[in-house]
Amino acid sequence: MKAEDDEVDEKQFRIGNLVLRDGKVDTITGIWHELSYDSGYDFYIQAGDDLDYPIEDISGIPLTEEILIKMGFFKKNRAWMLVDQGTNPTKFKFSIWEDLTYNTGELQPPLDFVHQLQNLYQSLTGEELTINFERE
């Protein structure tokens, strides 16, 4: 998740977010910063093997239709829907538009990366959105 000036925006990430590190999917298990004499604050994450990494070493996972399916979404009409397991699919829990946007009038959060969708979902439901990489 690189900002326009090639800097990582550490405020977009939280514990539990799925990110890419060294080309592999990892889960953030910790975030902190340390005072640096030459650059102000340096931000670090813990992920997977619990080693410390500069936050610049991670990037967002692009949000794709394949990833949505692995999260349990299915496409219906012009939207991607998420339902609880074993419930009636007409009673969806959460949805986004087919163009991968979430729009409620003035509120249009960016949904370019998996962690952005995870953050929106967690904010609205209080639950974690995960990926089942075994799902096809």
Side-chain angles (χ1 to χ4, degrees), residues 21-22 29-32 34 43-55 57-58:
R21 183 178 53 83
D22 296 330
T29 57
I31 300 175
W32 67 95
E34 292 180 356
F43 288 85
Y44 295 91
I45 64 157
Q46 277 185 303
D49 55 13
D50 291 331
L51 296 176
D52 304 346
Y53 298 96
I55 204 158
D57 288 355
I58 66 169

Side-chain angles (χ1 to χ4, degrees), residues 19-103:
V19 294
L20 288 175
R21 183 178 53 83
D22 296 330
K24 296 178 183 168
V25 175
D26 227 334
T27 302
I28 295 177
T29 57
I31 300 175
W32 67 95
H33 60 271
E34 292 180 356
L35 183 59
S36 170
Y37 293 107
D38 51 338
S39 62
Y41 284 104
D42 290 332
F43 288 85
Y44 295 91
I45 64 157
Q46 277 185 303
D49 55 13
D50 291 331
L51 296 176
D52 304 346
Y53 298 96
I55 204 158
E56 293 81 14
D57 288 355
I58 66 169
S59 62
I61 302 169
L63 189 59
T64 64
E65 291 186 5
E66 178 184 356
I67 293 286
L68 287 170
I69 291 168
K70 292 181 183 297
M71 290 178 153
F73 284 83
F74 68 94
K75 195 169 188 180
K76 181 173 172 123
N77 299 325
R78 295 181 38 220
W80 285 94
M81 317 279 256
L82 182 66
V83 297
D84 286 327
Q85 292 288 15
T87 62
N88 182 341
T90 61
K91 294 185 178 184
F92 64 93
K93 183 173 188 173
F94 179 79
S95 69
I96 60 175
W97 294 112
E98 70 181 337
D99 65 356
L100 306 182
T101 60
Y102 183 86
N103 184 341

